[in-house]
Amino acid sequence: MENIVLHKAETRGNANHGWLNAYHSFSFASWYNPERIQFGALRVLNDDTIAGGMGFGTHPHDNMEIITIPLEGDLAHKDSMGNTEIIKNGDIQVMSAGTGVQHSEFNPNADDQTKLLQIWLFPNKRNVTPRYQQITLDVADRHNKLSQILSPNADDEGVWIHQDAWFHMGNFDAGIATTYKLKKEGNGVYAFILKGNVTINGQELNTRDAMGISDFETLNIKANTDAEFLLMEIPMNY
């Protein structure tokens, strides 16, 4: 029997610091909801808008897989592994924090805001050597189909992480439908709608709504309007 949790956009936590307007799908920083700690291995899904010239100072992480998906504008990244990069819409970046890493992220443009998703997954092994990966994807590959952007396998499409997780993004025209089959038995999927109206297994979702679903085999997905969305398949035993 399908097990579904529904997270409507307006039920997310929100912290507006002026320079940062952050929406939290799961408990984060000062926002705590005991019913919203995690969904399986998915611990954090932050929907951030960073004002021009502002950003996060250097801070530490360990034993977490950290995925950044820029949606608009640029994000400058610097870390203790020696990486200094700019990531932008169409890119995806991952850091395996492992034994520990420090990094900073800021908006290098004084006049334009930066929008991004930052996602944290628990890893399937602890204390790995920290690593950094960034690739540029062809957004056109997502038109009316699901395009894989992350997997556990370095040889697969997209970035790879230390977890049996697969991420796909789709940019669908109104009326387009597709199906998604689990890659690994026992996993679940957390679907996040970036824009538009989408029905997944009979549940209608609007912009910034999300749904976690487990104990299923196939997702039936239909875009009711032009829509963009992210599917995150992750292990549930966390």
Side-chain angles (χ1 to χ4, degrees):
M1 183 68 186
E2 288 180 0
N3 189 14
I4 290 174
V5 294
L6 185 62
H7 292 161
K8 300 294 283 182
E10 63 273 13
T11 68
R12 297 178 297 168
N14 177 231
N16 192 340
H17 304 283
W19 67 272
L20 169 70
N21 190 13
Y23 286 90
H24 311 305
S25 293
F26 300 96
S27 294
F28 189 84
S30 61
W31 185 69
Y32 176 72
N33 179 336
E35 296 178 0
R36 300 272 282 269
I37 303 296
Q38 66 195 81
F39 180 78
L42 175 60
R43 173 62 189 88
V44 167
L45 173 57
N46 286 347
D47 182 5
D48 292 347
T49 301
I50 304 172
M54 305 301 286
F56 302 93
T58 303
H59 57 282
H61 294 281
D62 66 77
N63 288 310
M64 196 67 74
E65 302 292 299
I66 299 169
I67 301 110
T68 302
I69 303 175
L71 303 174
E72 180 186 305
D74 300 332
L75 186 71
H77 166 98
K78 190 173 184 179
D79 66 45
S80 53
M81 295 177 280
N83 299 293
T84 304
E85 303 286 349
I86 300 284
I87 56 174
K88 55 188 66 185
N89 182 251
D91 296 344
I92 180 169
Q93 176 220 69
V94 63
M95 274 197 322
S96 298
T99 53
V101 67
Q102 299 209 24
H103 76 140
S104 62
E105 300 159 299
F106 70 95
N107 177 354
N109 304 313
D111 300 325
D112 298 316
Q113 63 183 16
T114 296
K115 294 188 175 187
L116 62 108
L117 299 181
Q118 188 165 96
I119 299 158
W120 297 6
L121 297 186
F122 292 113
N124 57 16
K125 56 185 80 164
R126 290 182 60 81
N127 297 324
V128 300
T129 301
R131 60 177 284 271
Y132 179 91
Q133 185 185 9
Q134 175 184 332
I135 62 172
T136 298
L137 300 166
D138 186 352
V139 176
D141 288 343
R142 304 172 195 167
H143 186 228
N144 290 335
K145 64 180 190 224
L146 297 175
S147 176
Q148 182 175 291
I149 64 167
L150 175 148
S151 80
N153 308 309
D155 297 334
D156 272 8
E157 216 177 340
V159 294
W160 70 273
I161 63 168
H162 295 285
Q163 189 50 278
D164 293 325
W166 288 262
F167 287 13
H168 290 76
M169 292 187 81
N171 197 337
F172 282 26
D173 297 335
I176 298 293
T178 192
T179 58
Y180 179 85
K181 288 185 166 42
L182 278 179
K183 307 284 189 186
K184 185 176 180 182
E185 188 177 355
N187 277 1
V189 167
Y190 194 81
F192 185 73
I193 310 305
L194 288 160
K195 65 179 182 185
N197 179 290
V198 180
T199 299
I200 301 179
N201 284 19
Q203 177 65 56
E204 188 175 325
L205 303 165
N206 290 298
T207 300
R208 266 37 185 197
D209 289 349
M211 178 174 80
I213 181 168
S214 54
D215 300 318
F216 76 97
E217 291 180 358
T218 303
L219 294 182
N220 295 300
I221 302 163
K222 184 178 180 186
N224 304 311
T225 65
D226 291 354
E228 188 176 356
F229 55 92
L230 169 65
L231 302 180
M232 294 169 273
E233 176 180 334
I234 38 91
M236 294 305 297
N237 55 341
Y238 277 81

